[in-house]
Amino acid sequence: QLVESGGGLVQAGGSLRLSCAASERTFSRVTITWFRQAPGKEREFVAAITWIGGSIDYADSVKGRLTISRDNAKNTVYLQMNRLKPEDTALYYCAQTNKDYPPPRKELEYANWGQGTQVTVSS
């Protein structure tokens, strides 16, 4: 089971940190990926981190502003979001896959999803 938290309302240029907490059984040896879905749009890949943290991948639209990391001791993956833009407004989901490198970007590769956390960036 994956549980996201940390979403909220923030002004453009602000920051948020999202968390994705998993059970120990879920977390070991998996890639965790953040996706997002804006109203009226398809869900899209944001960032991924493989189980040993050795490989990280970002969508071009978030490179340099968002940072993904994981704390294996806490079974948690974080998404630090800086210099947020109104176009970052979306429901953010974390998902897991047993595939390692390269971390997949397609939704179909992910069997386990969280319920999502809303991020709203005002202009």
Side-chain angles (χ1 to χ4, degrees), residues 7-14 16 18 35-44 46 61-62 65-66 79 81-93 117-123:
L9 173 63
V10 64
Q11 289 187 334
L16 285 173
L18 306 184
F35 291 84
R36 67 186 181 186
Q37 187 167 21
K41 296 186 177 181
E42 294 184 351
R43 191 154 50 186
E44 64 176 359
V46 176
S61 59
V62 305
R65 300 187 300 115
L66 275 58
L79 186 67
M81 309 171 71
N82 297 328
R83 302 199 306 276
L84 283 163
K85 304 176 181 180
E87 50 263 45
D88 294 316
T89 295
L91 188 59
Y92 283 72
Y93 299 89
T117 186
Q118 178 67 39
V119 172
T120 302
V121 184
S122 62
S123 57

Side-chain angles (χ1 to χ4, degrees), residues 2 5-8 10 16 28-29 31 45 47 66 74 81 83 85 88 105 110 114 123:
L2 301 174
S5 62
V10 64
L16 285 173
S28 62
R29 298 179 180 269
T31 290
F45 168 85
L66 275 58
K74 295 183 178 179
M81 309 171 71
R83 302 199 306 276
K85 304 176 181 180
D88 294 316
R105 292 190 171 201
Y110 294 83
S123 57

Side-chain angles (χ1 to χ4, degrees), residues 93-112:
Y93 299 89
C94 63
Q96 71 168 67
T97 177
N98 291 330
K99 295 190 175 183
D100 192 37
Y101 182 82
R105 292 190 171 201
K106 295 183 178 180
E107 293 182 56
L108 293 177
E109 302 286 358
Y110 294 83
N112 192 24

